[in-house]
Amino acid sequence: MLILECPYCGVKAEETELHGGGQAHIKRETVGSDDDAFEHYLFTRANPRGVHLERWRHANGCGKWFHAARDTTTLEVFGTYPAQTFEPPKDIIDAITAKRPDWSFKNWQGAT
């Protein structure tokens, strides 16, 4: 069972209390985007095993969106942080690189 702590209300919630919102830190194409940009957004992103930065909504709690850093292979959670950020906080990046020394936010962005 995946358990994430909401950075707003502090509740540790099971994934059944949350709603996944896909990959974090990407430009989401919408109405008005050209077809090529929308196609790229929908179909051509990388989906590697390992560390992912994801959007989650505390649906059965405070209702706010937040980001989570976790390993999709092991379900290890490195931390959660507010959705209004452009990159993970330093403490979360440090937690990831302590266990995955080859990981970097810049490389992760380039793979998406």
Side-chain angles (χ1 to χ4, degrees):
M1 171 82 47
L2 180 63
I3 298 175
L4 299 173
E5 183 175 345
C6 176
Y8 297 102
C9 64
V11 170
K12 290 187 178 182
E14 296 178 359
E15 62 187 302
T16 57
E17 299 176 39
L18 305 168
H19 177 76
Q23 188 173 344
H25 305 292
I26 61 170
K27 180 180 178 192
R28 299 184 185 285
E29 301 295 343
T30 184
V31 176
S33 300
D34 63 44
D35 289 345
D36 290 337
F38 196 66
E39 178 182 356
H40 179 74
Y41 164 69
L42 286 178
F43 302 115
T44 60
R45 285 180 279 140
N47 189 21
R49 301 170 65 180
V51 177
H52 275 257
L53 304 175
E54 304 167 326
R55 293 167 28 104
W56 289 87
R57 182 173 174 264
H58 193 182
N60 292 347
C62 67
K64 294 186 178 180
W65 285 95
F66 63 92
H67 292 168
R70 70 179 188 99
D71 188 310
T72 60
T73 307
T74 65
L75 294 184
E76 178 180 9
V77 177
F78 297 104
T80 59
Y81 55 101
Q84 293 76 19
T85 59
F86 293 107
E87 63 183 53
K90 184 178 181 335
D91 62 321
I92 291 179
I93 290 175
D94 291 346
I96 295 169
T97 56
K99 295 199 173 185
R100 311 288 188 287
D102 57 328
W103 188 88
S104 76
F105 181 64
K106 184 177 179 180
N107 289 343
W108 180 83
Q109 279 185 309
T112 58

